[in-house]
Amino acid sequence: MPFGIKPLAETAAAGDPCRAKLANVEIDFNAVYDSLLEPALRLAGCEPCRADGDTSAGDIRTDMFFELVTADLVVADTSIPNPNVYYELGVRHGCRPHGILPIQSDLVGSRPFDVAQDRTFRYKGSLFISKTDNPNYAADLKHEVERLSQTFAHALARERESTGSPVYENLPGLVPVNWDNIQNAKARHLAELRDAWLERVRTAKSKGYPGDIKTLADEAPTRVHRTDVLYHSAGALLDLCRYPAAERELKKIIQDDPDDLPAQLQLGRALTYQNNTGEAEEHLRNILRRHPDEPEASELLGHFYRRSWYLSWRQIPDQEARKKKALADSHMAAQSLKSFLRAHKSDPGRAYFAGFNALILLNIVNALHAQIGGNLAESWPSNIDERELLAVVKFCARNLNERAQMDNDSETQFWTTTTLSGIALIEKNTTEALQHIRDACIVPGATLFQLQTLEERLALLAALDFESGYIRQALELVDEARNAKERPTYQRVFLWAGYPLDAPGQTPPRFPASQIDAVQAKIDKALEVWNVGANDLAICEGVLEGDILFAEACRKRGAHLRLMLLEPNQVNHGSWPFPPGKWSDRFHNLLQSKPDVEVWRHFECLGPSFDEGSPEDGESLLRRHKNWLMNTASMEAEPLGDRLYGLILCNDEDNDCENPAHPSYFIQRVNTFNDYQGQVERITAAPLPPHGRKRASA
């Protein structure tokens, strides 16, 4: 946009009646930004910046070009024919197809031909005419900010439905700029931030902490890296078999970019392993409609059909009846086989594992048919050269396995090793097959998803009595390896939040010391009603007096306890650290119950916050800490259903759901956990309000 005060007369062509009308009109573009654009964009959920507001020491042109290329959204004010504005707009048009919002004062008439057809949003220019006298200025400006904010929000919601850049609209197939290749100092700094964040995600995955992963995904250091962080976070959640959580992260990516193929493929995986059959099949078929030659989509569809086939008969208790049902449903196995073969034929080297799955499925169904007779589905392929397929898969798997060991590629090493095990089984060499299973189970970095997937495939063979001696031993090996990686699961999860004890003379009172026994009694009653016991997990911060009351009560009932500490001296955090005395002694007594009491420390798990040391540091750190507790509790509660409970110390008349320091923040989060109304017990500690004063409903 232009800076400073500029005349409008030059926007009208010679002879245009508007030229005389605008002859002495000047518009204050700094006021346009400060009073209109910045507040309107913030209301629309954006974080605005202007080139002259960048306080870094870099070259202004370099920084400007970097922002034009990497910003999610560029707003261009074309009210006057400012050469810099049109040049910068042209740079953006050439680099990105989306994220462009042209705006213009309503005092201006025509625009240059090249941009005349583009959608443009108008604002009330008379509010920013220099030296204007408007008695209703404040009200008019407030109304204009709200109106433009709604316009921006609506445009952003539908922004992906059309191409904002006329360059990309008229040149289909043009590839947008990949900013990862930029080598200036700012790009390198942001890349380092992203890499550090991704390393934290990998650490959280190795520990098996999905709540940490979710928190890191929510707090990506910069907007330009959001997709990278979300994608790797979703992959880490998939590796921990947290499929609903991974689905939510992947859908955020796809909402931003519906054409993100890797995210679409991973979403297909997440849907398939949730047994969400209808949505998974439709999703994978949609990918293949848009990308018919994508082998991974065909392979995922093969996994989907095989899984659906398995689910159709696995619960039948009688083995013979189970086999007959499996053969009767061989049309589903045929769909799986064809999808695997399609993937393998499109790229035999890359899709060797699809070829292996086709081989196994072919051998299973043929053996089943030989055992019980009957008819295979008419769709069952009959022209497969099994020997050729086996030779190709074996060659590819061996070569990739050797390379994976040299490159420390644990993912490829695991899948190629299990492939070699299956090939040895087909070749009737069960000793070699079992050795490969042992090797796969000790691959460094083998994930819970890999082990669980392998176990499920072996269970399919066991259910059909296929090579039962080998399968029994293989299942024992895989089960042992999987158990070593799994963290404990709990029947239910209980989350506590509350206030610190009131300071002497505090008004209005929230948690006076005189109410400690009453609060303790309310906590005990709630835990008794819920029948909290040894199979449950209790989570709290451990830094307030109420936390100690809750933690002690849960430990008396045998529940596992997790204290999630925000280290001292980071934010003003109530009573923490406790001074020497009874609260400090009670806190340290809790720690003596290891391993039934865990202590998790914020910075050990998550590292420093992105804006550490900035004016916003304290508030954002506190918000991240509260979200960490909530994310951890919800991730612990999710695998076996909605089992999250909240016990909240919160005055009825106090509701501040947007403030992470307030207990009502937790009430709102628990109540909306995973789209269900969670069970929340709300208790108060302050004296009842005066007679006749209305109390807010819980």
Side-chain angles (χ1 to χ4, degrees):
M1 68 182 302
F3 294 169
I5 298 173
K6 296 288 190 294
L8 289 180
E10 61 194 60
T11 63
D16 190 327
C18 291
R19 191 175 183 89
K21 182 181 177 182
L22 299 175
N24 298 313
V25 176
E26 294 181 324
I27 190 166
D28 186 346
F29 284 102
N30 289 347
V32 171
Y33 179 75
D34 295 333
S35 302
L36 176 64
L37 295 183
E38 182 174 19
L41 286 165
R42 289 194 186 279
L43 279 176
C46 299
E47 183 180 342
C49 65
R50 198 168 75 157
D52 62 336
D54 192 340
T55 58
S56 67
D59 176 79
I60 188 169
R61 294 188 76 214
T62 300
D63 291 342
M64 176 191 69
F65 289 139
F66 184 79
E67 296 298 339
L68 285 171
V69 172
T70 62
D72 297 286
L73 177 68
V74 168
V75 181
D77 190 333
T78 58
S79 297
I80 65 174
N82 184 293
N84 289 331
V85 169
Y86 279 95
Y87 175 76
E88 291 157 17
L89 180 58
V91 170
R92 177 65 177 203
H93 279 161
C95 293
R96 301 276 290 274
H98 302 288
I100 304 160
L101 291 183
I103 62 171
Q104 191 174 56
S105 164
D106 61 359
L107 299 173
V108 178
S110 60
R111 294 189 301 156
F113 170 80
D114 285 336
V115 296
Q117 301 177 54
D118 297 346
R119 174 189 59 176
T120 302
F121 304 100
R122 291 187 174 266
Y123 62 86
K124 193 172 182 179
S126 59
L127 292 170
F128 308 100
I129 294 176
S130 180
K131 300 179 182 178
T132 186
D133 184 15
N134 179 357
N136 299 316
Y137 176 80
D140 289 349
L141 179 61
K142 181 176 183 293
H143 177 268
E144 187 66 0
V145 168
E146 292 172 350
R147 185 196 66 80
L148 191 61
S149 173
Q150 292 173 2
T151 301
F152 282 156
H154 180 71
L156 289 171
R158 306 186 62 181
E159 195 254 339
R160 288 272 173 184
E161 295 178 6
S162 61
T163 301
S165 164
V167 179
Y168 285 83
E169 185 177 11
N170 288 281
L171 298 176
L174 185 63
V175 179
V177 167
N178 177 5
W179 83 268
D180 282 340
N181 296 324
I182 301 173
Q183 295 297 315
N184 72 322
K186 192 167 187 177
R188 288 194 295 271
H189 171 65
L190 293 175
E192 289 169 0
L193 283 175
R194 176 201 57 194
D195 293 345
W197 223 254
L198 295 180
E199 183 58 35
R200 296 182 199 179
V201 171
R202 285 189 286 269
T203 300
K205 184 183 82 168
S206 68
K207 293 179 178 178
Y209 293 172
D212 292 15
I213 296 170
K214 177 69 172 70
T215 305
L216 290 165
D218 292 342
E219 299 288 335
T222 63
R223 179 73 178 161
V224 293
H225 297 119
R226 181 172 184 264
T227 297
D228 265 356
V229 173
L230 285 176
Y231 183 77
H232 283 82
S233 298
L237 290 167
L238 281 172
D239 285 339
L240 294 177
C241 302
R242 300 306 180 97
Y243 306 119
E247 177 188 346
R248 291 192 291 270
E249 303 307 305
L250 290 164
K251 284 183 174 178
K252 291 177 186 177
I253 300 173
I254 293 167
Q255 184 177 9
D256 287 344
D257 183 3
D259 297 325
D260 192 312
L261 179 58
Q264 293 279 12
L265 290 168
Q266 289 287 54
L267 179 58
R269 192 182 307 278
L271 293 172
T272 296
Y273 282 93
Q274 289 179 77
N275 299 331
N276 194 341
T277 54
E279 187 178 356
E281 181 178 15
E282 182 61 23
H283 179 78
L284 292 169
R285 286 197 172 279
N286 281 336
I287 294 176
L288 281 169
R289 289 187 192 104
R290 297 193 300 270
H291 305 277
D293 298 324
E294 174 52 54
E296 190 172 348
S298 294
E299 183 174 355
L300 281 171
L301 197 60
H303 290 306
F304 165 78
Y305 285 129
R306 182 184 58 193
R307 189 177 179 85
S308 300
W309 177 59
Y310 178 42
L311 294 175
S312 74
W313 47 260
R314 72 170 181 175
Q315 298 294 341
I316 299 175
D318 180 73
Q319 190 175 79
E320 288 305 308
R322 191 162 61 238
K323 290 181 178 181
K324 289 179 180 178
K325 175 64 172 171
L327 194 64
D329 288 347
S330 59
H331 62 282
M332 298 169 69
Q335 286 179 298
S336 174
L337 179 59
K338 289 177 180 178
S339 295
F340 283 137
L341 288 173
R342 176 180 176 178
H344 178 70
K345 289 177 180 178
S346 65
D347 191 342
R350 176 182 165 195
Y352 74 93
F353 196 62
F356 162 67
N357 279 290
L359 277 170
I360 289 292
L361 197 55
L362 189 66
N363 276 266
I364 292 171
V365 175
N366 285 340
L368 190 63
H369 183 239
Q371 287 178 24
I372 64 174
N375 296 319
L376 285 169
E378 291 183 5
S379 57
W380 188 254
S382 58
N383 58 344
I384 300 172
D385 189 334
E386 185 179 347
R387 291 179 60 187
E388 179 181 324
L389 180 60
L390 187 145
V392 172
V393 171
K394 187 175 183 178
F395 175 81
C396 292
R398 278 183 172 173
N399 280 292
L400 288 171
N401 183 266
E402 291 175 4
R403 188 185 305 169
Q405 291 184 53
M406 291 186 291
D407 295 342
N408 294 317
D409 179 356
S410 59
E411 181 178 5
T412 302
Q413 191 177 344
F414 181 89
W415 293 124
T416 53
T417 304
T418 56
T419 297
L420 293 172
S421 174
I423 289 173
L425 182 64
I426 292 171
E427 294 175 334
K428 306 300 182 184
N429 190 341
T430 55
T431 301
E432 181 182 337
L434 276 173
Q435 184 56 53
H436 284 308
I437 291 291
R438 290 190 188 93
D439 293 341
C441 289
I442 61 173
V443 167
T447 67
L448 188 60
F449 170 77
Q450 290 173 321
L451 293 167
Q452 187 166 300
T453 303
L454 176 58
E455 187 173 50
E456 184 177 286
R457 291 168 184 172
L458 291 169
L460 184 154
L461 302 179
L464 296 177
D465 196 29
F466 185 84
E467 298 290 348
S468 57
Y470 158 80
I471 297 299
R472 184 179 63 256
Q473 295 179 70
L475 277 170
E476 289 174 357
L477 292 169
V478 177
D479 188 57
E480 181 181 354
R482 183 178 57 79
N483 287 337
K485 287 187 177 293
E486 281 189 327
R487 287 185 52 79
T489 56
Y490 303 95
Q491 184 176 340
R492 294 169 298 172
V493 179
F494 296 86
L495 178 66
W496 163 270
Y499 302 115
L501 275 179
D502 289 350
Q506 177 173 318
T507 56
R510 297 190 307 182
F511 187 5
S514 61
Q515 296 295 305
I516 290 175
D517 291 342
V519 169
Q520 182 69 76
K522 292 177 181 179
I523 291 173
D524 290 337
K525 181 180 178 181
L527 298 184
E528 182 178 357
V529 169
W530 281 333
N531 194 26
V532 174
N535 294 322
D536 298 322
L537 172 65
I539 295 177
C540 67
E541 293 184 84
V543 298
L544 304 176
E545 294 85 355
D547 300 350
I548 302 301
L549 299 179
F550 171 77
E552 289 175 340
C554 291
R555 285 300 305 134
K556 285 179 184 177
R557 301 185 65 86
H560 189 92
L561 176 65
R562 184 174 301 161
L563 304 177
M564 300 180 67
L565 305 179
L566 181 58
E567 291 88 331
N569 302 322
Q570 299 297 332
V571 293
N572 182 11
H573 211 307
S575 309
W576 183 255
F578 296 117
K582 71 172 184 178
W583 292 110
S584 177
D585 293 342
R586 291 168 75 169
F587 171 78
H588 288 289
N589 285 339
L590 283 169
L591 304 187
Q592 305 307 310
S593 302
K594 296 178 180 179
D596 293 326
V597 175
E598 297 178 85
V599 178
W600 289 15
R601 301 181 186 277
H602 183 109
F603 291 98
E604 287 181 5
C605 292
L606 301 179
S609 61
F610 169 62
D611 53 6
E612 185 177 19
S614 71
E616 298 81 16
D617 183 14
E619 181 181 348
S620 64
L621 178 60
L622 184 59
R623 182 177 295 274
R624 180 169 79 155
H625 186 68
K626 301 293 185 179
N627 286 337
W628 182 44
L629 267 78
M630 188 63 224
N631 289 332
T632 299
S634 62
M635 289 294 99
E636 293 285 4
E638 192 170 67
L640 299 178
D642 299 330
R643 304 164 296 117
L644 178 61
Y645 297 72
L647 185 58
I648 315 293
L649 175 66
C650 183
N651 292 344
D652 286 351
E653 64 272 19
D654 290 336
N655 284 286
D656 189 359
C657 296
E658 298 302 316
N659 179 4
H662 197 279
S664 58
Y665 182 79
F666 280 84
I667 295 175
Q668 187 265 340
R669 290 290 306 275
V670 174
N671 273 332
T672 56
F673 161 61
N674 204 19
D675 300 323
Y676 95 121
Q677 291 299 304
Q679 295 194 39
V680 178
E681 179 71 19
R682 183 170 173 166
I683 61 179
T684 61
L688 293 175
H691 179 68
R693 180 178 172 187
K694 291 184 178 180
R695 297 175 63 84
S697 169

